[in-house]
Amino acid sequence: LQAGGGVVDPALVGRLAAQAGLQVRVGCFCNVGACHRLLGLSHDDVRTAHAEGHVCWDAVGLVRGRPTGAVRVSLGYCTTAADLDALVTFISTYFVVA
């Protein structure tokens, strides 16, 4: 969420993360129906977004101010303390208001 409570575009988060050298996953993670349900998107919302040109693989993460996906960070056995520090720095730089 933004400082004022608005939603941050998940696609923007993905682009910024890539520029920072981080790999994150954005979208619905191959489970579109569940994702849309959890985001509160109705069938009509999805149809309207599609009619306006939005598709799953595009660079649009907000349609009419509502998110069409989420951001996922995965940690694994190869994840290092430096990786976590980079993630925290990224989040602090772009998404934390002091």
Side-chain angles (χ1 to χ4, degrees):
L1 295 175
Q2 296 173 348
V7 178
V8 176
D9 181 338
L12 173 62
V13 175
R15 289 190 299 274
L16 291 171
Q19 290 174 0
L22 300 172
Q23 297 296 313
V24 300
R25 182 119 186 243
V26 297
C28 284
F29 321 123
C30 300
N31 195 350
V32 178
C35 180
H36 289 165
R37 186 176 65 246
L38 290 171
L39 292 171
L41 298 173
S42 70
H43 293 296
D44 287 338
D45 294 331
V46 174
R47 282 189 204 97
T48 298
H50 188 264
E52 293 174 355
H54 174 64
V55 292
C56 290
W57 56 86
D58 66 17
V60 177
L62 293 177
V63 173
R64 297 183 182 190
R66 296 182 67 192
T68 59
V71 178
R72 183 178 80 199
V73 175
S74 298
L75 306 177
Y77 73 94
C78 290
T79 303
T80 65
D83 295 333
L84 295 175
D85 288 343
L87 177 63
V88 169
T89 298
F90 169 72
I91 293 169
S92 298
T93 300
Y94 292 101
F95 304 108
V96 174
V97 177

Coordinates of all heavy atoms in Angstrom, one line a residue:
L1 N 0.8 -1.2 0.0 CA 0.0 0.0 0.0 C 0.9 1.2 0.0 O 2.0 1.3 0.6 CB -0.9 0.0 1.2 CG -2.0 -1.1 1.3 CD1 -2.7 -1.0 2.6 CD2 -2.9 -1.0 0.1
Q2 N 0.3 2.3 -0.6 CA 1.0 3.6 -0.6 C 0.7 4.2 0.8 O -0.2 3.8 1.5 CB 0.5 4.5 -1.7 CG 0.8 3.9 -3.1 CD 0.1 4.7 -4.2 OE1 -0.7 5.5 -3.9 NE2 0.5 4.5 -5.4
A3 N 1.5 5.3 1.1 CA 1.3 6.0 2.3 C -0.1 6.4 2.6 O -0.6 6.3 3.7 CB 2.2 7.2 2.4
G4 N -0.8 6.9 1.5 CA -2.2 7.3 1.7 C -3.2 6.2 1.7 O -4.4 6.4 1.7
G5 N -2.8 4.9 1.6 CA -3.7 3.8 1.5 C -4.0 3.3 0.2 O -4.6 2.3 0.0
G6 N -3.5 3.9 -0.9 CA -3.7 3.5 -2.2 C -2.9 2.2 -2.5 O -1.9 1.9 -1.8
V7 N -3.2 1.5 -3.6 CA -2.5 0.3 -3.9 C -1.3 0.6 -4.9 O -1.5 1.4 -5.8 CB -3.5 -0.7 -4.7 CG1 -2.8 -1.9 -5.1 CG2 -4.7 -1.0 -3.7
V8 N -0.2 0.0 -4.6 CA 0.9 0.1 -5.5 C 0.8 -0.9 -6.6 O 0.4 -2.0 -6.4 CB 2.2 -0.2 -4.7 CG1 3.4 -0.2 -5.7 CG2 2.4 0.8 -3.6
D9 N 1.0 -0.4 -7.8 CA 0.9 -1.3 -9.0 C 1.9 -2.4 -8.9 O 3.2 -2.2 -8.9 CB 1.2 -0.5 -10.3 CG 1.1 -1.2 -11.6 OD1 1.2 -2.4 -11.6 OD2 0.9 -0.5 -12.6
P10 N 1.5 -3.7 -8.9 CA 2.4 -4.8 -8.8 C 3.4 -4.9 -9.9 O 4.6 -5.3 -9.7 CB 1.5 -6.1 -8.8 CG 0.1 -5.6 -8.5 CD 0.1 -4.1 -8.9
A11 N 3.0 -4.5 -11.1 CA 3.9 -4.5 -12.3 C 5.0 -3.5 -12.1 O 6.1 -3.8 -12.4 CB 3.1 -4.2 -13.6
L12 N 4.7 -2.4 -11.5 CA 5.7 -1.4 -11.2 C 6.7 -1.9 -10.2 O 7.9 -1.7 -10.3 CB 5.1 -0.1 -10.6 CG 6.1 1.0 -10.1 CD1 6.9 1.5 -11.3 CD2 5.3 2.1 -9.5
V13 N 6.2 -2.6 -9.2 CA 7.1 -3.2 -8.2 C 8.1 -4.2 -8.9 O 9.3 -4.2 -8.6 CB 6.3 -3.9 -7.1 CG1 7.3 -4.7 -6.1 CG2 5.5 -3.0 -6.3
G14 N 7.6 -5.0 -9.8 CA 8.4 -5.9 -10.6 C 9.5 -5.2 -11.4 O 10.6 -5.6 -11.4
R15 N 9.1 -4.1 -12.0 CA 10.1 -3.4 -12.8 C 11.1 -2.7 -12.0 O 12.3 -2.8 -12.3 CB 9.4 -2.3 -13.7 CG 8.5 -2.9 -14.8 CD 8.0 -1.8 -15.8 NE 7.2 -0.8 -15.2 CZ 5.8 -1.0 -15.1 NH1 5.2 -2.1 -15.5 NH2 5.1 0.0 -14.5
L16 N 10.7 -2.1 -10.9 CA 11.7 -1.5 -9.9 C 12.6 -2.6 -9.3 O 13.8 -2.3 -9.2 CB 11.0 -0.8 -8.8 CG 10.2 0.5 -9.3 CD1 9.4 1.0 -8.1 CD2 11.2 1.6 -9.8
A17 N 12.1 -3.7 -9.0 CA 12.9 -4.8 -8.4 C 13.9 -5.3 -9.4 O 15.1 -5.5 -9.1 CB 12.0 -6.0 -8.0
A18 N 13.5 -5.4 -10.7 CA 14.4 -5.8 -11.7 C 15.6 -4.8 -11.9 O 16.7 -5.2 -12.0 CB 13.7 -6.0 -13.0
Q19 N 15.2 -3.5 -11.8 CA 16.3 -2.5 -11.9 C 17.2 -2.6 -10.8 O 18.4 -2.2 -10.9 CB 15.6 -1.1 -12.0 CG 14.9 -0.9 -13.3 CD 14.2 0.5 -13.3 OE1 14.2 1.2 -12.4 NE2 13.5 0.7 -14.4
A20 N 16.7 -3.0 -9.6 CA 17.6 -3.2 -8.4 C 18.3 -4.5 -8.3 O 19.0 -4.8 -7.4 CB 16.7 -3.0 -7.1
G21 N 18.1 -5.3 -9.4 CA 18.8 -6.6 -9.4 C 18.1 -7.7 -8.6 O 18.7 -8.7 -8.3
L22 N 16.8 -7.5 -8.3 CA 16.1 -8.5 -7.5 C 15.1 -9.2 -8.4 O 14.5 -8.6 -9.3 CB 15.3 -7.8 -6.4 CG 16.1 -7.1 -5.4 CD1 15.2 -6.3 -4.4 CD2 17.0 -8.0 -4.6
Q23 N 14.9 -10.5 -8.2 CA 13.9 -11.3 -8.9 C 12.7 -11.5 -8.0 O 12.8 -12.1 -7.0 CB 14.5 -12.6 -9.3 CG 15.7 -12.5 -10.2 CD 15.3 -11.9 -11.6 OE1 14.3 -12.3 -12.2 NE2 16.1 -10.9 -12.0
V24 N 11.6 -10.9 -8.5 CA 10.3 -11.2 -7.8 C 9.3 -11.6 -8.8 O 9.5 -11.5 -10.0 CB 9.8 -9.9 -7.1 CG1 10.8 -9.4 -6.0 CG2 9.4 -8.8 -8.0
R25 N 8.2 -12.2 -8.3 CA 7.2 -12.6 -9.3 C 6.0 -11.7 -9.1 O 5.6 -11.4 -7.9 CB 6.8 -14.1 -9.0 CG 5.8 -14.7 -9.9 CD 6.4 -15.9 -10.6 NE 5.4 -16.3 -11.6 CZ 4.8 -17.5 -11.6 NH1 5.1 -18.4 -10.7 NH2 3.9 -17.8 -12.5
V26 N 5.4 -11.3 -10.2 CA 4.2 -10.5 -10.1 C 3.1 -11.1 -10.9 O 3.3 -11.8 -11.9 CB 4.4 -9.0 -10.5 CG1 5.4 -8.3 -9.6 CG2 4.9 -8.9 -12.0
G27 N 1.9 -10.8 -10.6 CA 0.7 -11.4 -11.3 C -0.1 -12.2 -10.5 O -0.3 -12.0 -9.3
C28 N -0.7 -13.3 -11.1 CA -1.6 -14.2 -10.3 C -1.0 -15.5 -10.1 O -1.7 -16.4 -9.6 CB -2.9 -14.3 -11.1 SG -4.0 -12.9 -10.9
F29 N 0.2 -15.7 -10.5 CA 1.0 -16.9 -10.2 C 0.3 -18.2 -10.7 O 0.3 -19.2 -10.0 CB 1.3 -17.0 -8.7 CG 1.7 -15.7 -8.1 CD1 0.9 -15.2 -7.0 CD2 2.7 -14.9 -8.6 CE1 1.2 -14.0 -6.4 CE2 3.0 -13.7 -8.0 CZ 2.3 -13.3 -6.9
C30 N -0.2 -18.1 -11.9 CA -0.9 -19.2 -12.6 C -2.1 -19.8 -11.9 O -2.5 -20.9 -12.0 CB 0.1 -20.4 -12.8 SG 1.5 -19.9 -13.9
N31 N -2.7 -18.9 -11.1 CA -4.0 -19.3 -10.4 C -4.9 -18.1 -10.4 O -5.3 -17.5 -9.4 CB -3.7 -19.7 -8.9 CG -4.8 -20.4 -8.3 OD1 -5.9 -20.4 -8.8 ND2 -4.6 -20.9 -7.1
V32 N -5.3 -17.8 -11.6 CA -6.0 -16.5 -11.9 C -7.4 -16.5 -11.2 O -7.7 -15.5 -10.6 CB -6.3 -16.4 -13.4 CG1 -7.1 -15.1 -13.7 CG2 -4.9 -16.3 -14.1
G33 N -8.1 -17.5 -11.2 CA -9.4 -17.5 -10.5 C -9.3 -17.2 -9.0 O -10.0 -16.4 -8.5
A34 N -8.4 -17.9 -8.3 CA -8.2 -17.7 -6.9 C -7.7 -16.3 -6.6 O -8.1 -15.6 -5.7 CB -7.3 -18.7 -6.3
C35 N -6.8 -15.8 -7.5 CA -6.2 -14.5 -7.3 C -7.3 -13.4 -7.4 O -7.4 -12.5 -6.6 CB -5.1 -14.3 -8.4 SG -4.3 -12.7 -8.3
H36 N -8.1 -13.5 -8.5 CA -9.1 -12.5 -8.7 C -10.1 -12.6 -7.5 O -10.6 -11.5 -7.1 CB -9.9 -12.8 -10.0 CG -9.0 -12.5 -11.2 ND1 -9.3 -12.9 -12.4 CD2 -7.9 -11.7 -11.3 CE1 -8.4 -12.4 -13.3 NE2 -7.5 -11.7 -12.6
R37 N -10.4 -13.8 -7.0 CA -11.4 -13.9 -5.9 C -10.8 -13.2 -4.7 O -11.5 -12.4 -4.0 CB -11.7 -15.3 -5.6 CG -12.8 -15.5 -4.5 CD -13.2 -16.9 -4.3 NE -12.1 -17.7 -3.7 CZ -11.5 -18.7 -4.4 NH1 -11.9 -19.1 -5.6 NH2 -10.5 -19.4 -3.8
L38 N -9.5 -13.4 -4.4 CA -8.9 -12.8 -3.2 C -8.7 -11.3 -3.3 O -8.8 -10.6 -2.3 CB -7.5 -13.4 -2.9 CG -7.6 -14.9 -2.4 CD1 -6.2 -15.5 -2.4 CD2 -8.2 -15.0 -1.1
L39 N -8.6 -10.8 -4.6 CA -8.5 -9.4 -4.8 C -9.9 -8.7 -4.9 O -10.0 -7.5 -5.0 CB -7.7 -9.1 -6.1 CG -6.2 -9.4 -6.0 CD1 -5.6 -9.3 -7.4 CD2 -5.5 -8.6 -5.0
G40 N -10.9 -9.5 -4.8 CA -12.3 -9.0 -4.9 C -12.7 -8.5 -6.3 O -13.6 -7.7 -6.4
L41 N -12.1 -9.2 -7.3 CA -12.5 -8.8 -8.7 C -13.6 -9.7 -9.1 O -13.5 -11.0 -9.1 CB -11.3 -9.0 -9.6 CG -10.1 -8.1 -9.3 CD1 -8.9 -8.4 -10.2 CD2 -10.5 -6.6 -9.5
S42 N -14.7 -9.2 -9.6 CA -15.9 -9.9 -10.1 C -15.6 -10.4 -11.5 O -14.7 -9.9 -12.2 CB -17.1 -9.1 -10.0 OG -17.1 -8.1 -11.0
H43 N -16.4 -11.3 -12.0 CA -16.3 -11.7 -13.4 C -16.5 -10.5 -14.3 O -15.8 -10.4 -15.3 CB -17.4 -12.8 -13.7 CG -17.2 -14.0 -13.0 ND1 -16.1 -14.8 -13.2 CD2 -17.9 -14.7 -12.1 CE1 -16.1 -15.9 -12.5 NE2 -17.2 -15.8 -11.8
D44 N -17.4 -9.6 -14.0 CA -17.6 -8.4 -14.8 C -16.3 -7.5 -14.8 O -16.0 -6.9 -15.8 CB -18.8 -7.6 -14.3 CG -20.1 -8.2 -14.6 OD1 -20.1 -9.0 -15.6 OD2 -21.1 -7.9 -14.0
D45 N -15.7 -7.4 -13.6 CA -14.4 -6.6 -13.5 C -13.4 -7.2 -14.5 O -12.7 -6.4 -15.2 CB -13.8 -6.6 -12.1 CG -14.7 -5.9 -11.1 OD1 -15.4 -5.0 -11.4 OD2 -14.6 -6.3 -9.9
V46 N -13.3 -8.5 -14.5 CA -12.3 -9.1 -15.3 C -12.6 -9.0 -16.8 O -11.8 -8.7 -17.6 CB -12.1 -10.6 -14.9 CG1 -11.2 -11.4 -15.9 CG2 -11.6 -10.7 -13.5
R47 N -13.9 -9.1 -17.1 CA -14.3 -9.0 -18.5 C -14.1 -7.5 -19.0 O -13.6 -7.3 -20.1 CB -15.8 -9.3 -18.7 CG -16.1 -10.8 -18.7 CD -17.6 -11.0 -19.1 NE -18.0 -12.3 -18.5 CZ -18.6 -12.5 -17.4 NH1 -19.0 -11.5 -16.7 NH2 -18.9 -13.7 -17.0
T48 N -14.4 -6.6 -18.1 CA -14.2 -5.2 -18.5 C -12.7 -4.9 -18.7 O -12.3 -4.2 -19.7 CB -14.7 -4.2 -17.4 OG1 -16.1 -4.5 -17.3 CG2 -14.5 -2.8 -17.8
A49 N -11.9 -5.4 -17.8 CA -10.4 -5.2 -18.0 C -9.9 -5.8 -19.3 O -9.1 -5.2 -20.0 CB -9.7 -5.7 -16.8
H50 N -10.4 -7.0 -19.6 CA -10.0 -7.7 -20.8 C -10.5 -6.9 -22.0 O -9.7 -6.7 -23.0 CB -10.5 -9.1 -20.8 CG -10.0 -9.9 -22.0 ND1 -10.7 -10.1 -23.2 CD2 -8.8 -10.6 -22.1 CE1 -10.0 -10.8 -24.0 NE2 -8.8 -11.1 -23.4
A51 N -11.7 -6.4 -22.0 CA -12.2 -5.6 -23.1 C -11.4 -4.3 -23.3 O -11.3 -3.8 -24.5 CB -13.7 -5.3 -22.9
E52 N -10.8 -3.8 -22.3 CA -10.0 -2.6 -22.4 C -8.6 -2.9 -22.8 O -7.7 -2.1 -22.8 CB -10.0 -1.8 -21.0 CG -11.4 -1.3 -20.7 CD -11.4 -0.6 -19.3 OE1 -10.5 -0.7 -18.6 OE2 -12.5 -0.1 -19.0
G53 N -8.3 -4.2 -23.0 CA -7.0 -4.6 -23.5 C -6.0 -5.2 -22.5 O -4.9 -5.6 -22.9
H54 N -6.5 -5.4 -21.3 CA -5.6 -6.0 -20.3 C -5.6 -7.5 -20.4 O -6.6 -8.1 -20.5 CB -6.0 -5.6 -18.9 CG -5.3 -6.3 -17.8 ND1 -3.9 -6.1 -17.6 CD2 -5.7 -7.2 -16.9 CE1 -3.5 -6.9 -16.6 NE2 -4.5 -7.6 -16.1
V55 N -4.4 -8.1 -20.4 CA -4.2 -9.5 -20.5 C -3.2 -9.9 -19.4 O -2.4 -9.1 -18.9 CB -3.8 -10.0 -21.8 CG1 -4.9 -9.9 -22.9 CG2 -2.5 -9.3 -22.3
C56 N -3.2 -11.2 -19.0 CA -2.4 -11.6 -17.9 C -0.9 -11.3 -18.0 O -0.2 -11.1 -17.1 CB -2.5 -13.1 -17.7 SG -4.1 -13.6 -17.1
W57 N -0.4 -11.3 -19.2 CA 1.1 -11.1 -19.4 C 1.5 -9.7 -19.7 O 2.7 -9.5 -20.0 CB 1.6 -12.1 -20.5 CG 0.9 -11.9 -21.8 CD1 1.2 -11.0 -22.8 CD2 -0.3 -12.5 -22.2 NE1 0.3 -11.0 -23.8 CE2 -0.7 -12.0 -23.5 CE3 -1.1 -13.6 -21.7 CZ2 -1.8 -12.5 -24.2 CZ3 -2.2 -14.0 -22.4 CH2 -2.5 -13.4 -23.6
D58 N 0.6 -8.7 -19.6 CA 1.0 -7.4 -19.9 C 1.7 -6.7 -18.7 O 1.9 -7.3 -17.7 CB -0.2 -6.6 -20.4 CG -1.3 -6.3 -19.4 OD1 -1.0 -6.5 -18.2 OD2 -2.4 -6.0 -19.8
A59 N 2.1 -5.5 -18.9 CA 2.8 -4.7 -17.9 C 1.9 -3.8 -17.0 O 2.3 -2.9 -16.4 CB 3.9 -3.9 -18.5
V60 N 0.6 -4.1 -17.1 CA -0.4 -3.4 -16.3 C -0.8 -4.1 -15.1 O -1.3 -5.3 -15.1 CB -1.7 -3.1 -17.2 CG1 -2.8 -2.4 -16.4 CG2 -1.3 -2.4 -18.5
G61 N -0.6 -3.5 -13.9 CA -0.9 -4.2 -12.6 C -2.1 -3.6 -11.9 O -2.6 -4.1 -11.0
L62 N -2.5 -2.4 -12.4 CA -3.7 -1.8 -11.9 C -4.7 -1.4 -13.0 O -4.3 -0.9 -14.1 CB -3.4 -0.4 -11.2 CG -2.5 -0.5 -9.9 CD1 -2.3 0.9 -9.4 CD2 -3.2 -1.3 -8.8
V63 N -5.9 -1.8 -12.8 CA -7.0 -1.4 -13.8 C -8.0 -0.7 -13.0 O -8.6 -1.2 -12.0 CB -7.6 -2.7 -14.5 CG1 -8.8 -2.3 -15.3 CG2 -6.5 -3.4 -15.3
R64 N -8.2 0.6 -13.4 CA -9.2 1.5 -12.7 C -8.9 1.6 -11.2 O -9.8 1.6 -10.4 CB -10.6 1.0 -12.9 CG -11.0 1.1 -14.4 CD -12.4 0.7 -14.6 NE -12.7 0.8 -16.0 CZ -13.9 0.6 -16.5 NH1 -14.9 0.5 -15.7 NH2 -14.1 0.7 -17.8
G65 N -7.6 1.6 -10.9 CA -7.1 1.7 -9.5 C -7.1 0.5 -8.7 O -6.8 0.5 -7.5
R66 N -7.5 -0.6 -9.3 CA -7.6 -1.9 -8.5 C -6.5 -2.8 -9.0 O -6.2 -2.9 -10.2 CB -8.9 -2.5 -8.7 CG -10.0 -1.6 -8.1 CD -11.4 -2.2 -8.2 NE -11.5 -3.4 -7.4 CZ -12.5 -4.3 -7.4 NH1 -13.4 -4.1 -8.3 NH2 -12.5 -5.3 -6.7
P67 N -5.8 -3.6 -8.1 CA -4.7 -4.5 -8.5 C -5.3 -5.7 -9.3 O -6.4 -6.2 -9.0 CB -4.1 -4.9 -7.2 CG -5.2 -4.8 -6.2 CD -6.0 -3.6 -6.7
T68 N -4.6 -6.1 -10.3 CA -4.9 -7.3 -11.0 C -4.0 -8.5 -10.7 O -4.1 -9.5 -11.3 CB -4.9 -7.1 -12.5 OG1 -3.5 -6.7 -12.9 CG2 -5.8 -6.0 -12.9
G69 N -3.2 -8.3 -9.7 CA -2.3 -9.4 -9.2 C -1.6 -8.9 -8.0 O -2.0 -8.0 -7.3
A70 N -0.5 -9.7 -7.6 CA 0.2 -9.4 -6.4 C 1.7 -9.5 -6.7 O 2.1 -9.8 -7.8 CB -0.2 -10.4 -5.3
V71 N 2.5 -9.4 -5.6 CA 3.9 -9.5 -5.7 C 4.3 -10.6 -4.8 O 3.9 -10.7 -3.6 CB 4.7 -8.2 -5.3 CG1 6.2 -8.4 -5.3 CG2 4.2 -7.0 -6.1
R72 N 5.2 -11.5 -5.3 CA 5.7 -12.6 -4.4 C 7.2 -12.6 -4.4 O 7.8 -12.5 -5.4 CB 5.2 -14.0 -5.0 CG 5.6 -15.1 -4.1 CD 5.0 -16.4 -4.6 NE 5.9 -16.9 -5.7 CZ 5.5 -17.8 -6.6 NH1 4.2 -18.3 -6.5 NH2 6.3 -18.2 -7.5
V73 N 7.8 -12.8 -3.2 CA 9.2 -13.0 -3.0 C 9.4 -14.4 -2.5 O 8.7 -14.7 -1.5 CB 9.8 -11.9 -2.0 CG1 11.2 -12.2 -1.8 CG2 9.6 -10.5 -2.6
S74 N 10.2 -15.2 -3.1 CA 10.5 -16.5 -2.6 C 11.9 -16.6 -2.0 O 12.8 -16.1 -2.6 CB 10.3 -17.5 -3.8 OG 9.0 -17.5 -4.3
L75 N 11.9 -17.2 -0.9 CA 13.2 -17.5 -0.2 C 13.5 -19.0 -0.3 O 12.6 -19.8 -0.1 CB 13.2 -17.0 1.2 CG 12.7 -15.6 1.5 CD1 12.6 -15.3 3.0 CD2 13.6 -14.6 0.8
G76 N 14.7 -19.3 -0.5 CA 15.1 -20.7 -0.6 C 16.4 -21.0 0.1 O 17.0 -20.1 0.7
Y77 N 16.9 -22.2 -0.1 CA 18.1 -22.6 0.6 C 19.3 -21.8 0.1 O 20.3 -21.8 0.8 CB 18.3 -24.1 0.6 CG 18.8 -24.6 -0.8 CD1 20.1 -24.8 -1.1 CD2 17.8 -24.9 -1.8 CE1 20.5 -25.3 -2.3 CE2 18.2 -25.4 -3.0 CZ 19.5 -25.6 -3.3 OH 19.9 -26.0 -4.5
C78 N 19.3 -21.3 -1.0 CA 20.4 -20.5 -1.6 C 20.3 -19.0 -1.2 O 21.2 -18.2 -1.5 CB 20.5 -20.6 -3.1 SG 21.0 -22.3 -3.6
T79 N 19.2 -18.6 -0.6 CA 19.1 -17.2 -0.2 C 20.1 -16.9 0.9 O 20.2 -17.6 1.9 CB 17.6 -16.9 0.3 OG1 16.7 -17.3 -0.7 CG2 17.4 -15.5 0.7
T80 N 20.7 -15.7 0.7 CA 21.8 -15.3 1.7 C 21.3 -14.1 2.5 O 20.3 -13.5 2.1 CB 23.1 -14.9 0.9 OG1 22.8 -13.8 0.1 CG2 23.6 -16.1 0.0
A81 N 22.0 -13.8 3.5 CA 21.8 -12.6 4.3 C 21.9 -11.4 3.4 O 21.1 -10.4 3.6 CB 22.7 -12.5 5.5
A82 N 22.8 -11.4 2.5 CA 23.0 -10.2 1.6 C 21.7 -10.1 0.7 O 21.3 -8.9 0.4 CB 24.2 -10.4 0.7
D83 N 21.1 -11.2 0.3 CA 19.9 -11.1 -0.5 C 18.8 -10.5 0.3 O 18.0 -9.6 -0.2 CB 19.5 -12.5 -0.9 CG 20.4 -13.2 -1.9 OD1 21.1 -12.5 -2.6 OD2 20.4 -14.5 -1.9
L84 N 18.7 -10.9 1.6 CA 17.6 -10.3 2.4 C 17.9 -8.8 2.7 O 16.9 -8.0 2.7 CB 17.5 -11.1 3.7 CG 17.1 -12.5 3.6 CD1 17.2 -13.2 4.9 CD2 15.7 -12.6 3.0
D85 N 19.2 -8.5 2.9 CA 19.5 -7.1 3.1 C 19.1 -6.2 1.8 O 18.6 -5.1 2.0 CB 21.0 -6.9 3.4 CG 21.4 -7.4 4.7 OD1 20.5 -7.5 5.6 OD2 22.6 -7.6 4.9
A86 N 19.4 -6.8 0.7 CA 19.0 -6.1 -0.6 C 17.5 -5.9 -0.7 O 17.0 -4.9 -1.1 CB 19.6 -6.9 -1.8
L87 N 16.8 -6.9 -0.3 CA 15.3 -6.9 -0.3 C 14.8 -5.8 0.6 O 13.9 -5.0 0.3 CB 14.7 -8.2 0.0 CG 13.2 -8.3 0.1 CD1 12.5 -7.9 -1.3 CD2 12.7 -9.6 0.5
V88 N 15.3 -5.8 1.8 CA 14.9 -4.8 2.8 C 15.2 -3.4 2.3 O 14.4 -2.5 2.5 CB 15.5 -5.1 4.2 CG1 15.3 -3.9 5.2 CG2 14.9 -6.4 4.8
T89 N 16.4 -3.2 1.8 CA 16.8 -1.9 1.2 C 15.9 -1.5 0.1 O 15.5 -0.3 0.1 CB 18.3 -2.0 0.7 OG1 19.1 -2.3 1.9 CG2 18.7 -0.7 0.1
F90 N 15.6 -2.4 -0.8 CA 14.6 -2.1 -1.9 C 13.3 -1.7 -1.3 O 12.8 -0.6 -1.8 CB 14.5 -3.4 -2.8 CG 13.4 -3.3 -3.7 CD1 13.5 -2.4 -4.8 CD2 12.2 -4.0 -3.6 CE1 12.4 -2.3 -5.8 CE2 11.2 -3.9 -4.5 CZ 11.3 -3.1 -5.6
I91 N 12.7 -2.4 -0.4 CA 11.4 -2.1 0.1 C 11.5 -0.7 0.9 O 10.6 0.2 0.7 CB 10.9 -3.2 1.1 CG1 10.6 -4.4 0.3 CG2 9.7 -2.7 1.9 CD1 10.4 -5.7 1.1
S92 N 12.5 -0.5 1.6 CA 12.7 0.8 2.4 C 12.9 1.9 1.4 O 12.3 3.0 1.7 CB 13.9 0.7 3.3 OG 13.8 -0.3 4.3
T93 N 13.6 1.7 0.3 CA 13.8 2.8 -0.6 C 12.6 3.3 -1.3 O 12.3 4.5 -1.5 CB 14.9 2.4 -1.6 OG1 16.1 2.1 -0.9 CG2 15.2 3.5 -2.7
Y94 N 11.8 2.3 -1.8 CA 10.6 2.6 -2.6 C 9.3 2.7 -1.9 O 8.4 3.3 -2.5 CB 10.6 1.6 -3.8 CG 11.7 1.8 -4.8 CD1 12.8 1.0 -4.8 CD2 11.7 2.9 -5.7 CE1 13.8 1.1 -5.7 CE2 12.7 3.0 -6.6 CZ 13.8 2.2 -6.6 OH 14.8 2.3 -7.5
F95 N 9.2 2.0 -0.8 CA 7.8 1.8 -0.3 C 7.6 2.1 1.2 O 6.5 1.9 1.7 CB 7.4 0.3 -0.6 CG 7.5 0.0 -2.0 CD1 8.5 -0.9 -2.5 CD2 6.6 0.5 -2.9 CE1 8.6 -1.2 -3.8 CE2 6.7 0.3 -4.3 CZ 7.7 -0.6 -4.7
V96 N 8.6 2.7 1.8 CA 8.5 3.0 3.2 C 8.6 4.6 3.3 O 9.6 5.1 2.9 CB 9.5 2.3 4.1 CG1 9.4 2.9 5.6 CG2 9.3 0.8 4.1
V97 N 7.6 5.2 4.0 CA 7.7 6.6 4.2 C 8.1 6.9 5.6 O 7.4 6.4 6.5 CB 6.3 7.3 3.8 CG1 6.3 8.8 4.1 CG2 5.9 7.0 2.4
A98 N 9.1 7.6 5.8 CA 9.6 7.9 7.2 C 8.9 9.0 7.8 O 8.4 9.9 7.2 CB 11.1 8.1 7.2

